[in-house]
Amino acid sequence: MREIIFDTETTGLDSRDDRVIELGGIELVNRFPTGKTFHHYINPQGRAIHAEAQAVHGISMADLAGKPTFAEIAEEWLTFIDGAKLVAHNATFDVGFLNVEFGRLGHPVIDNGRVVDTLALARRKHPMGPNSLDALCRRYGIDNTRRTKHGALLDSELLAEVYIELIGGKQAALVLDSATAPAQGNENVRQIEIIISQRPAPLPPRLTEAERDAHAGMVNTLGEKALWLKVVGN
C-alpha cells in the first residue's frame, strides 16, 4: 500500500484568492518511509503573503524570488502522488488549495475518496484534544524541537510518525504476508514466513503411574473443603 503524507504552506487562508507557496510530501509503502520525498517552494505570481501567514511559516516574498510557479511543478507532483492515498492534517484546507490550483490549470480535482484526514482521526481517538500537530507530537513522544516554524516537508515527516501512532502504533507497519514482498519493492521490509505444523503423533505423558498414584494420595489428605478440589472440579 502506497501513501503520500503531505502538507502545504500558503499566502493566506482563502483558497479562492491566496496561493500555495510551499508543497512537500514523503512516500510511505506499507507504512514505512521509502526515502522518496517531494519538496518545492512556489512563486505565488504576485500574490502578497499575509503577515499572519508569514508569522506562521516564515516564508517571505524574497524567499520565493526565482522559484517555479505551481504550473511548473504540477506534473511532477501529480506523478509523485499517482495511485497513492493522500494523508494530511486538516486535509480540507490543503486539498482545497490544491484543487483551486489544479482548477486554474484545467486539471481534475483530487478525489476525496483517496484522502485521509489525520485531524479527523485524532478527534475520534482523542475527543478531548488538543489535536494540533504539535500537541500530537507531545502526546506520542515524537521529537518536534526542529519545528520552530511550519514547513511543508518537515511537517510531513512529523505527520508520518503521528499517523502511524494514530492507526495503531509501530506494529501497524509490520507486513506479515511474505507473498506481497516482491510486488512492494521495499528493500527496508524483511518478510518472514512462519509455518507451524502439527505433530504426527501426540507426545506420550510425562507422569508415571506411580507419580499419579502419589498425587491422588496427597489430594485425599486435603479434606473436603480444600481449594484444590474446586480447581480440578472434583
Side-chain angles (χ1 to χ4, degrees):
M1 177 174 57
R2 184 169 176 267
E3 297 168 297
I4 301 298
I5 316 295
F6 79 98
D7 184 47
T8 65
E9 300 300 340
T10 63
T11 59
L13 300 178
D14 187 349
S15 61
R16 297 167 299 178
D17 190 40
D18 287 302
R19 304 297 298 265
V20 175
I21 56 174
E22 186 185 10
L23 178 58
I26 70 170
E27 181 187 62
L28 302 184
V29 172
N30 293 327
R31 308 282 161 75
F32 280 95
T34 65
K36 293 182 180 179
T37 64
F38 178 99
H39 183 243
H40 276 295
Y41 289 103
I42 300 166
N43 191 302
Q45 297 178 279
R47 183 65 178 92
I49 301 173
H50 293 278
E52 297 86 351
Q54 187 169 340
V56 171
H57 51 58
I59 302 171
S60 68
M61 292 298 291
D63 296 324
L64 302 176
K67 301 301 181 184
T69 65
F70 190 89
E72 292 173 315
I73 62 93
E75 291 298 335
E76 182 184 351
W77 172 249
L78 288 171
T79 299
F80 184 69
I81 67 174
D82 184 45
K85 281 280 189 180
L86 302 177
V87 182
H89 202 63
N90 191 17
T92 301
F93 178 88
D94 300 286
V95 172
F97 265 90
L98 290 179
N99 280 342
V100 172
E101 295 282 5
F102 285 140
R104 293 187 181 108
L105 301 175
H107 283 293
V109 299
I110 295 170
D111 179 3
N112 284 332
R114 64 187 292 204
V115 177
V116 177
D117 187 352
T118 52
L119 180 57
L121 293 179
R123 285 172 173 168
R124 287 197 295 269
K125 190 168 185 177
H126 309 296
M128 302 303 291
N131 288 309
S132 67
L133 182 56
D134 281 333
L136 291 168
C137 285
R138 290 192 296 270
R139 179 186 290 274
Y140 292 124
I142 296 168
D143 182 10
N144 65 338
T145 53
R146 296 177 296 159
R147 194 183 190 241
T148 56
K149 295 282 187 181
H150 288 220
L153 187 58
L154 173 58
D155 286 5
S156 297
E157 292 170 351
L158 293 173
L159 183 59
E161 295 187 64
V162 166
Y163 174 55
I164 295 301
E165 296 295 339
L166 285 172
I167 60 176
K170 297 298 188 294
Q171 68 272 20
L174 295 178
V175 181
L176 300 180
D177 184 1
S178 62
T180 65
Q184 302 302 333
N186 187 355
E187 297 177 354
N188 296 322
V189 179
R190 185 164 64 99
Q191 309 295 334
I192 300 174
E193 183 176 7
I194 300 174
I195 300 174
I196 301 175
S197 59
Q198 292 185 334
R199 294 180 181 276
L203 292 173
R206 295 186 179 184
L207 293 177
T208 65
E209 286 300 320
E211 289 171 330
R212 291 178 181 274
D213 291 342
H215 180 263
M218 183 272 294
V219 170
N220 289 335
T221 67
L222 297 178
E224 296 180 355
K225 296 183 179 180
L227 292 176
W228 175 257
L229 298 179
K230 296 181 180 179
V231 173
V232 297
N234 291 337

